[in-house]
Amino acid sequence: MSDVWQDTITTAETIRRELHAHPEMGWQEHRTAERVREILSHLNIPWRCCAGTGTVGIINPKGTTAPHIALRGDMDALPLHEATLKVWSSMNEGCMHACGHDGHTATLLATAKWLKYHEAQLKGPVSLVFQPAEEGGHGAREMIKDGALDGVDEIYGWHNWPAIAFGQMLCPDALVMCGNGTFKITLHGQGGHASQPELCRDPVLAASAITLNLQQIISRRLAPQQAAVISVTSIEAPSAPTVIPQNAVVGGSIRVPDRKTRDEIYRLITEISQQTAASYGVVAEVENFPRYDATINHTLQATNMRRLWQNINGADSLDFITPTPIMASEDFSYYLQHIPGAFALIGSDDGPEHQVPCHSPYYDFNDRLIPAVTRLFSRLVGVGVPVPEELP
């Protein structure tokens, strides 16, 4: 067993670095999908295309004495210029695996290989969900539309998390990650010469005031106990040093625990932006774009995930320190709105190299997580795994 296990993990680490060197943006994961399907075929695991660049593999499809469980790995990358200087750094300029989806995919492939080798131990079917376009592309939604959850009873997923100590799991009952959305405020003013502001209606000044005024929503318009974030992330007003521009655009992001809070925040963004703009003599056109709902675990499945993690890694391997909900967002929320399941954040911080946050050009996935999560996924479907030589 140990030789097969070592080969499984070593191969997955090689694949992970290969995927890292060839990142692809959401809905463009053609090479990644081809590689995943090639490996599944080599393992004699039946698969089908799902939502274009997605793939669903199936192991033990005729199993009937246990629930049908799905395991998910996302595949897409981000529009960043990599700065890690790793040997396996991105070869696609302006595109980088800065969130660890290369590691999530490689881990699911390792799990596929291990489960296929031990298929006789499985009592129920296992679906392997290789999902595209998690980074804002609603990939999970499209996978569901194309039948990825058909016949599935439960689903499990995870994300590496550099802000948590290596091997510590954060998997609360109920809310684990917030929902999100974006907004765009276009300000229409009256441009002119910088020496004659009285003849202009300055959209830059209005944009600055709106940026400040929006901060009162969290501090004064919502209850202090409410988990929410409003971040203005851009102000665009192309001009010249002696020109007051005609227009300005303010953009940003929100994080919310539920739809009710999202709707209230969007109402206040619109109200405050328009009223502030009017006080500066300009007009505000506000557009709100909801994205993902909050990721909310189901209690039974979250409990199961935590129990198995502790069984493998020891009683002290759960994270009770990190505040929840995490304010980042995940489209795994779509799956949990359809069937029971759970989503965990698993710490990757084992030193400075793996403390770099996701979405940084200096980020790199911690390969030590591949065996750790392959053990978890295997145990979730009832297949034995070698015990770690060293507890995290």
Side-chain angles (χ1 to χ4, degrees):
M1 178 184 280
S2 60
D3 290 344
V4 175
W5 175 259
Q6 189 57 50
D7 177 67
T8 297
I9 301 307
T10 300
T11 301
E13 291 173 353
T14 301
I15 293 169
R16 200 284 291 184
R17 297 178 183 191
E18 174 194 335
L19 295 175
H20 189 94
H22 300 278
E24 296 170 302
M25 295 289 292
W27 301 121
Q28 299 173 26
E29 308 94 335
H30 300 290
R31 185 189 185 281
T32 305
E34 181 180 353
R35 191 74 176 100
V36 165
R37 294 162 186 172
E38 175 187 310
I39 293 168
L40 293 178
S41 294
H42 178 74
L43 294 171
N44 293 315
I45 295 175
W47 57 267
R48 72 171 183 89
C49 299
C50 188
T53 50
T55 302
V56 178
I58 184 76
I59 302 177
N60 193 38
K62 296 182 179 180
T64 59
T65 58
H68 184 166
I69 293 176
L71 307 171
R72 179 267 214 163
D74 42 9
M75 305 185 297
D76 55 325
L78 288 160
L80 289 177
H81 295 273
E82 181 160 359
T84 65
L85 302 180
K86 296 288 186 183
V87 174
W88 52 87
S89 289
S90 172
M91 299 175 66
N92 297 340
E93 186 66 23
C95 187
M96 175 192 174
H97 271 299
C99 205
H101 296 185
D102 50 342
H104 300 167
T105 300
T107 299
L108 191 54
L109 287 170
T111 303
K113 183 173 182 177
W114 185 253
L115 295 184
K116 185 63 179 179
Y117 187 80
H118 297 88
E119 189 169 12
Q121 293 184 28
L122 291 171
K123 296 181 179 180
V126 178
S127 286
L128 308 167
V129 179
F130 293 90
Q131 181 206 304
E134 187 280 327
E135 296 286 357
H138 301 271
R141 180 187 66 192
E142 300 309 306
M143 292 287 282
I144 294 168
K145 286 182 181 178
D146 202 10
L149 296 184
D150 290 357
V152 175
D153 299 303
E154 301 177 8
I155 187 166
Y156 295 90
W158 73 291
H159 204 291
N160 74 98
W161 207 248
I164 298 175
F166 179 83
Q168 294 287 297
M169 171 186 277
L170 181 66
C171 184
D173 297 336
L175 181 61
V176 56
M177 300 182 79
C178 277
N180 67 345
T182 60
F183 59 88
K184 178 182 178 182
I185 306 164
T186 303
L187 298 165
H188 304 284
Q190 178 63 54
H193 201 288
S195 68
Q196 296 175 301
E198 75 281 5
L199 300 180
C200 305
R201 296 296 177 263
D202 191 346
V204 175
L205 189 60
S208 302
I210 288 171
T211 299
L212 291 174
N213 287 347
L214 290 182
Q215 303 310 308
Q216 68 172 289
I217 295 175
I218 301 299
S219 65
R220 289 295 180 267
R221 303 296 289 273
L222 298 182
Q225 297 83 3
Q226 188 68 280
V229 172
I230 299 175
S231 292
V232 173
T233 55
S234 66
I235 299 177
E236 300 176 13
S239 185
T242 60
V243 177
I244 292 174
Q246 189 82 5
N247 302 301
V249 178
V250 177
S253 173
I254 68 170
R255 305 290 160 151
V256 293
D258 51 52
R259 293 184 182 183
K260 181 179 179 182
T261 305
R262 180 192 68 195
D263 292 345
E264 177 64 5
I265 285 178
Y266 273 149
R267 184 187 70 78
L268 290 168
I269 287 174
T270 301
E271 175 186 294
I272 291 170
S273 298
Q274 291 177 341
Q275 292 182 0
T276 302
S279 72
Y280 285 84
V282 307
V283 175
E285 176 188 349
V286 183
E287 298 173 273
N288 296 313
F289 306 100
R291 294 177 73 178
Y292 299 155
D293 284 342
T295 302
I296 301 174
N297 282 341
H298 295 253
T299 299
L300 182 62
Q301 285 70 31
T303 300
N304 187 38
M305 209 171 188
R306 294 193 301 267
R307 176 181 59 82
L308 291 174
W309 186 258
Q310 285 183 299
N311 287 348
I312 298 167
N313 299 295
D316 60 351
S317 59
L318 297 181
D319 177 9
F320 296 106
I321 299 174
T322 302
T324 56
I326 298 296
M327 303 310 291
S329 304
E330 244 287 347
D331 79 343
F332 198 84
S333 58
Y334 284 113
Y335 298 122
L336 297 180
Q337 289 171 347
H338 280 76
I339 62 172
F343 188 81
L345 299 175
I346 299 179
S348 59
D349 174 15
D350 58 4
E353 182 179 4
H354 295 123
Q355 293 172 351
V356 178
C358 295
H359 293 212
S360 164
Y362 297 97
Y363 167 89
D364 190 37
F365 180 83
N366 188 340
D367 286 338
R368 290 179 64 202
L369 288 171
I370 294 176
V373 179
T374 300
R375 288 186 178 98
L376 173 65
F377 273 175
S378 299
R379 289 290 299 276
L380 282 167
V381 299
V383 171
V385 290
V387 176
E389 294 180 3
E390 200 173 51
L391 295 180

